[in-house]
Amino acid sequence: MNRMRIKITGESGSGLLSTGDIITKALEEIGFNIVSDREYPSLIKGGYSCYTINISTENIWSLSEQADIMLSLDKQSLEELHDKLKPGGHLIHGYERNLDKTLEKMDCEVTSVQGRTIAKEQGGSFLMVNVVLIGVLWKVLGLDYKYVEEEVKKKFASKPKLLEIDLRCLKAGYDMAETKFELEIPKAKKDQIVINGNNAIALGAIHAGCRAYYAYPMSPASSILSYMAKYAKDTGVLVKQAEDEITAAQMTIGSMYAGTRAMTATSGGGYDLMTETVSLAGIIETPMVLCIAQRPGPGTGLPTWTAQADLNLAIHSSHGEFTRLVIAVSNPTDCFDLIQHAFNYAEEFQIPVIVLTEKVIAESLISVDRFEQNKIPIKRGLSTEEHQNEDRYKITESGISPRWIPGSQEAYYFANGDEHWESGELTEEAEPCRQMYAKRNRKAIALEQALPEPEIIGNPKAKISFVGWGSSKNTMLDIIAENPEVNYLHYAYMYPLKTKVLNQFFKDNSNVHLIEGNYAGQLGQYIEAKTDNKFQGKLLKTNGRPFFLEDIQDYINQNS
Amino acid sequence: MLDPKDIQHLAEHADDLTQFDTSQKMTWCSNCGNYGIQNALKRALTLEGIGRNEFLMCFDVGCNGNGSDKFECNTIHGLHGRVISLAAGVKLANHKMHVIASGGDGATFSEGVNHLVHAVRNDYPIIFIHHNNENYGLTTGQASACTAKGAVMNASPYGVNIEPINTLDFVLSLSPTFVARGYSGEVDQMTDLLRKALNHNGFAFVEILQACPTYNKETPDEWYAARVNDVSALKEYDNTDIWAARKLVEFGDQDNVPTGLIYHNPRDHNFMDLQPGRENIKTTLVDEVKRVNINMLLER
């Protein structure tokens, strides 16, 4: 089926989120594949927001900017966002006052109801207009009433008196409207889950044996903290909201040194504060997993919007030189998998691992296959042999020395942030300093060899090709599903850079473009510096919005 | 003074005491207070029967931090100002280990004062030794937040023109559970205080007024010796009374430096006992790293 694109617009605080959630969950129950995301300003009440839902009977991963149907909860948001409804689309609203001026600007079919009047007639208040409109939407889409009724019941289960009125409002809205669309209905509900990237990261970490989570609230990473805290009683994970990001990072490295698995997440500004600790992890060779949920900077930037602009930060942050790994996630499935790999690489190579996610990944709900558990073994890289103190930082060919949990055997060591020799004892002598410095840095060679190559999506050869990372993969997947003339090379493991498949990709394809959500084309610059490949063009986006299908389609039209 | 029983114990367990001794070259000045503090800590650990695999030491950056490889045990030497957070992370991961952190007055009352505030508030069950020599020794004698007004220091050639922080008054204002003070010239008293701290189930703030023979010539050990008063000798002083403690340190003057166990009021539960989902759990986070099935969470 073609995707059906729904946009709900409203003020922040107008009940947009719960309206969107009810609709999303009801659509999920029917068995649709869903992608939904919320665009909203960084404030608690007021300002216009929208909740976008795309559904299909096929797998979908990304959103279209345009909508087929728009449900408007208030006038201001309609004024601001009316151009997101495609020409000839369908508008649903519940205003009782004249909207002619706004509607003049739009080319659309309209279903309107007297929202407040209906809500009042059913014994409700103006707060229940949203429920009336959900009923209207459901009828316009021609969907089975029981699904939406069930979700409304779940949503208001704790308020039985209001629930009765809500259900009457829902029914009144439903009965009042006419069906305008004929959707292909999924044959059965698949064994899928609808989940956002932050919850998937939390679940992956819990699955991998992460026992402590330390963080300071910062959008768009905060929901990892809330999720971890919400389920702490079930998981036994120690969840601590620290006094600042420096503390979160320090507690993480302290716990990892002691021998457990711990994690922290933040956004770019918070990560700036953590960078000294990352450098400490570099010299004491203590594993660490840090997650940066990207939003546009610099400064406070756009706290509730999305970006792919902190790749350079992840690669170049922290003083001195040391081996690190940078991974970028794309969607809930790889959030769940890659965070597990992050812990394994961190422990096996005794390095900081920085995991990049983005607001659009962190908060978008996507239907994905139920996560495959027990697929990725827990690899701790801990030595079980008896050791001497000086084994801990032994100069080895690979640069990796034995690591054991402090206190687990007679041998002990100094995890020394000062330059040191093999048992961690301080040294400032030239030759040992040179050797230890080189040991830490040559771990990157073994690390690079251990990493998977980037993945090619689509045919090996295509008329137009893209290279990118992060959430771009989701949009490319949807583009390529419709168009075999396009292919895409995706980097999940960003640094150190794998180049073999990349070089072949450039050999096989003559029209290769870069796609990135930043100004400089950071991955592109890195690739062009490390290899002889040159991009034919760059599709870059820096307005806080993710890559929509239209962005890539338009670019393809202009460049093929 | 150490109890004769304790002296006997140390004599009989000389190997336990000397296991911590290093063959590294010492890099502190002669008469540096750090020697006495290390000595006291070694004794306290020996007297409490705490073996090498039963504690971890965390060091800030500064002169005391240069002791991180001069105490033969598991140590971590971290960043400037951050040792309290680091030590908290270590302790929460492995609550079966004693965690002993040390930092200087620069780290504790300038660079990382926020960590001190929140460690007291959270009552993380660690020992924190505040090495207060009233200056930045390792960077060659700049003023700290604890330097006396008027002192001429590196980078303060005309003398420090603001008042220092009253360290104990500050800590006592945060509702702590353990506040003690000794000075680096009196190893027996420090040993006693550190033993008490090792038995405290919460955040133990132990300030050591530390001689710095190079950059703080005004207050050597002898200077303190002539002025300290151990609160245990005070009649009618109740060290579980926060207001008595605050009054004592607030009105302390140059010639009357209160030392000893200034305040002690342990809570029934420590930080870890209060964590949701961790009540009555005996294992440490270190023991628990294994596969966790997430089916239950996916159903929600």
Side-chain angles (χ1 to χ4, degrees):
Chain A
M1 124 187 194
N2 287 335
R3 66 173 69 206
M4 166 56 66
R5 306 167 303 173
I6 305 161
K7 241 182 227 300
I8 313 161
T9 68
E11 252 191 323
S12 290
S14 66
L16 179 69
L17 188 56
S18 50
T19 304
D21 282 349
I22 290 168
I23 295 166
T24 302
K25 291 216 172 96
L27 291 166
E28 178 194 348
E29 280 303 311
I30 295 173
F32 285 109
N33 285 76
I34 293 171
V35 178
S36 76
D37 188 24
R38 196 163 65 101
E39 292 183 346
Y40 56 98
S42 179
L43 42 76
I44 300 300
K45 207 162 159 52
Y48 56 87
S49 307
C50 82
Y51 196 122
T52 307
I53 307 168
N54 283 195
I55 57 170
S56 171
T57 51
E58 320 286 328
N59 280 326
I60 52 169
W61 299 95
S62 66
L63 290 175
S64 180
E65 188 170 24
Q66 293 277 298
D68 300 301
I69 183 162
M70 181 177 275
L71 172 61
S72 172
L73 301 182
D74 64 17
K75 190 175 170 184
Q76 188 201 359
S77 62
L78 183 63
E79 286 283 345
E80 298 289 349
L81 297 164
H82 71 270
D83 63 335
K84 303 289 186 235
L85 182 62
K86 73 166 187 191
H90 197 98
L91 173 71
I92 298 172
H93 72 81
Y95 311 114
E96 311 202 353
R97 283 184 227 148
N98 194 324
L99 261 187
D100 289 351
K101 266 201 173 164
T102 310
L103 293 176
E104 261 171 33
K105 291 183 273 189
M106 301 175 73
D107 162 23
C108 62
E109 206 185 335
V110 181
T111 297
S112 73
V113 296
Q114 305 269 310
R116 283 190 184 216
T117 309
I118 297 167
K120 268 193 184 163
E121 281 167 6
Q122 303 306 321
S125 70
F126 69 94
L127 291 168
M128 286 165 183
V129 174
N130 291 358
V131 183
V132 174
L133 291 172
I134 293 172
V136 173
L137 173 75
W138 214 249
K139 185 66 166 291
V140 168
L141 288 170
L143 294 171
D144 190 340
Y145 184 71
K146 71 177 185 214
Y147 291 102
V148 73
E149 185 185 28
E150 195 52 37
E151 287 310 318
V152 170
K153 280 182 183 165
K154 276 190 210 161
K155 189 86 186 174
F156 300 104
S158 59
K159 299 165 186 162
K161 268 190 192 164
L162 291 178
L163 173 62
E164 203 183 306
I165 305 167
D166 275 312
L167 287 173
R168 283 208 299 271
C169 289
L170 184 74
K171 190 74 173 43
Y174 185 82
D175 288 342
M176 202 156 281
E178 279 175 38
T179 295
K180 301 285 180 184
F181 293 86
E182 204 172 316
L183 300 187
E184 186 190 325
I185 304 298
K187 290 189 182 68
K189 191 168 183 286
K190 298 165 203 147
D191 188 24
Q192 285 194 324
I193 52 172
V194 176
I195 191 168
N196 69 39
N198 274 0
N199 291 4
I201 283 178
L203 284 168
I206 293 165
H207 189 56
C210 173
R211 301 305 297 158
Y213 183 74
Y214 304 108
Y216 187 82
M218 185 168 190
S219 298
S222 309
S223 67
I224 302 178
L225 176 61
S226 3
Y227 187 87
M228 284 286 201
K230 187 171 177 189
Y231 296 119
K233 280 202 169 189
D234 303 288
T235 60
V237 172
L238 171 75
V239 183
K240 177 63 184 159
Q241 181 181 322
E243 64 264 24
D244 55 37
E245 287 88 348
I246 295 174
T247 308
Q250 283 288 306
M251 292 180 88
T252 304
I253 198 175
S255 288
M256 289 292 261
Y257 157 78
T260 191
R261 281 188 160 186
M263 185 175 98
T264 185
T266 179
S267 191
Y271 180 79
D272 287 346
L273 295 174
M274 296 182 175
T275 55
E276 196 185 8
T277 305
V278 174
S279 180
L280 177 67
I283 194 165
I284 64 175
E285 302 189 55
T286 293
M288 218 182 158
V289 176
L290 308 97
C291 190
I292 307 176
Q294 297 164 96
R295 67 194 216 191
T300 306
L302 290 165
T304 58
W305 298 82
T306 202
Q308 303 176 335
D310 291 334
L311 175 62
N312 282 347
L313 173 71
I315 294 175
H316 301 295
S317 54
S318 307
H319 60 288
E321 298 164 291
F322 54 91
T323 302
R324 78 182 73 192
L325 171 61
V326 179
I327 299 177
V329 298
S330 301
N331 57 52
T333 307
D334 71 17
C335 283
F336 182 73
D337 289 348
L338 288 170
I339 197 72
Q340 297 181 56
H341 288 300
F343 276 105
N344 287 348
Y345 285 114
E347 291 214 282
E348 289 194 290
F349 290 87
Q350 304 169 33
I351 51 169
V353 176
I354 299 143
V355 179
L356 292 165
T357 183
E358 302 156 32
K359 185 270 175 186
V360 70
I361 304 167
E363 295 187 359
S364 290
L365 289 166
I366 304 186
S367 304
V368 291
D369 291 340
R370 183 169 282 269
F371 294 145
E372 192 182 337
Q373 298 183 57
N374 305 312
K375 179 177 66 176
I376 300 155
I378 294 176
K379 295 188 204 162
R380 303 213 53 200
L382 289 166
S383 172
T384 48
E385 288 166 37
E386 280 290 305
H387 286 288
Q388 302 297 312
N389 297 5
E390 60 271 25
D391 291 346
R392 176 62 190 97
Y393 298 106
K394 193 159 232 33
I395 303 291
T396 60
E397 204 181 316
S398 67
I400 303 161
S401 324
R403 183 173 70 97
W404 62 94
I405 290 174
S408 67
Q409 53 174 286
E410 273 308 303
Y412 56 91
Y413 60 90
F414 311 127
N416 200 341
D418 281 20
E419 191 55 281
H420 46 259
W421 191 234
E422 289 178 327
S423 63
E425 70 275 27
L426 185 145
T427 183
E428 296 188 0
E429 284 176 42
E431 183 54 18
C433 287
R434 186 196 66 76
Q435 284 189 38
M436 192 57 71
Y437 198 91
K439 167 193 125 64
R440 286 191 297 269
N441 279 287
R442 71 172 167 266
K443 287 195 285 190
I445 298 165
L447 174 64
E448 193 267 332
Q449 285 164 358
L451 296 178
E453 288 282 343
E455 165 196 17
I456 296 173
I457 292 167
N459 296 319
K461 296 182 185 189
K463 274 191 180 159
I464 182 164
S465 309
F466 291 87
V467 174
W469 59 286
S471 65
S472 307
K473 176 182 173 181
N474 303 336
T475 326
M476 292 305 317
L477 276 166
D478 287 351
I479 291 282
I480 290 165
E482 302 281 318
N483 186 351
E485 303 289 326
V486 184
N487 63 4
Y488 170 64
L489 183 86
H490 178 74
Y491 272 98
Y493 293 89
M494 316 279 305
Y495 180 94
L497 190 79
K498 300 289 281 188
T499 54
K500 194 175 142 218
V501 167
L502 173 86
N503 288 335
Q504 191 60 45
F505 189 73
F506 270 91
K507 268 189 201 142
D508 292 343
N509 294 283
S510 55
N511 189 19
V512 183
H513 297 254
L514 180 72
I515 174 168
E516 281 193 78
N518 60 56
Y519 187 82
Q522 296 177 10
L523 173 64
Q525 287 180 333
Y526 188 40
I527 286 172
E528 289 184 343
K530 282 274 285 190
T531 69
D532 296 329
N533 304 306
K534 290 277 173 260
F535 290 97
Q536 295 297 309
K538 295 178 180 180
L539 170 52
L540 304 173
K541 193 169 183 183
T542 55
N543 61 0
R545 277 70 179 165
F547 283 108
F548 294 112
L549 291 167
E550 292 89 337
D551 295 319
I552 300 179
Q553 198 51 58
D554 292 349
Y555 187 87
I556 290 170
N557 295 343
Q558 287 159 19
N559 289 280
S560 48
Chain B
M1 286 293 288
L2 278 189
D3 194 289
K5 262 199 343 254
D6 293 336
I7 295 169
Q8 181 73 19
H9 182 101
L10 290 175
E12 285 167 9
H13 296 81
D15 286 352
D16 291 349
L17 186 66
T18 54
Q19 69 174 329
F20 303 125
D21 288 352
T22 183
S23 54
Q24 302 288 326
K25 189 177 153 203
M26 299 309 270
T27 55
W28 293 317
C29 307
S30 303
N31 298 324
C32 173
N34 278 319
Y35 294 106
I37 298 170
Q38 276 210 351
N39 200 356
L41 190 56
K42 287 172 188 173
R43 285 190 187 188
L45 289 162
T46 306
L47 289 167
E48 291 301 318
I50 296 168
R52 206 182 252 150
N53 284 333
E54 294 166 309
F55 73 103
L56 290 157
M57 283 177 68
C58 305
F59 290 85
D60 208 275
V61 172
C63 283
N64 92 81
N66 278 359
S68 70
D69 59 349
K70 295 167 185 74
F71 206 111
E72 294 292 317
C73 65
N74 283 294
T75 71
I76 180 166
H77 186 188
L79 301 177
H80 184 55
R82 314 299 170 202
V83 75
I84 293 176
S85 308
L86 179 71
V90 174
K91 177 70 183 189
L92 300 186
N94 189 351
H95 62 80
K96 289 182 181 162
M97 294 268 220
H98 294 276
V99 174
I100 303 161
S102 42
D105 43 315
T108 311
F109 283 90
S110 289
E111 185 92 28
V113 70
N114 50 336
H115 309 305
L116 172 66
V117 171
H118 292 276
V120 174
R121 177 167 174 253
N122 283 288
D123 205 27
Y124 295 130
I126 60 174
I127 296 168
F128 177 63
I129 305 173
H130 177 224
H131 292 239
N132 185 359
N133 63 4
E134 301 184 351
N135 81 95
Y136 288 78
L138 196 57
T139 52
T140 65
Q142 292 84 0
S144 78
C146 301
T147 304
K149 188 176 178 184
V152 173
M153 306 295 291
N154 182 352
S156 301
Y158 305 108
V160 174
N161 53 16
I162 47 176
E163 293 290 342
I165 288 175
N166 181 333
T167 56
L168 294 198
D169 191 32
F170 181 90
V171 173
L172 285 165
S173 74
L174 301 168
S175 301
T177 55
F178 187 106
V179 177
R181 178 149 75 186
Y183 78 102
S184 57
E186 201 176 322
V187 174
D188 285 358
Q189 185 194 35
M190 283 191 287
T191 305
D192 178 53
L193 294 174
L194 290 168
R195 288 180 72 181
K196 288 187 168 105
L198 283 164
N199 287 298
H200 177 65
N201 186 19
F203 186 76
F205 182 86
V206 181
E207 175 168 79
I208 305 297
L209 302 168
Q210 182 180 340
C212 178
T214 305
Y215 299 110
N216 181 5
K217 292 189 168 55
E218 300 297 312
T219 60
D221 283 333
E222 299 73 31
W223 186 91
Y224 285 115
R227 288 165 177 81
V228 292
N229 286 303
D230 193 311
V231 293
S232 62
L234 295 177
K235 276 182 197 160
E236 292 176 18
Y237 180 75
D238 176 2
N239 71 1
T240 64
D241 179 346
I242 187 81
W243 291 106
R246 292 186 70 173
K247 220 160 141 184
L248 180 80
V249 302
E250 191 175 351
F251 299 109
D253 60 48
Q254 278 259 311
D255 297 320
N256 176 13
V257 180
T259 59
L261 184 51
I262 309 273
Y263 182 67
H264 185 225
N265 198 1
R267 293 175 188 153
D268 295 340
H269 299 283
N270 74 29
F271 177 88
M272 212 57 186
D273 305 326
L274 295 172
Q275 298 315 300
R278 297 211 58 87
E279 306 88 351
N280 306 317
I281 292 183
K282 296 277 178 278
T283 52
T284 68
L285 303 182
V286 174
D287 306 328
E288 294 167 12
V289 179
K290 51 180 184 259
R291 181 65 79 215
V292 172
N293 187 300
I294 55 158
N295 284 343
M296 178 188 55
L297 299 176
L298 284 177
E299 297 314 321
R300 302 193 182 184

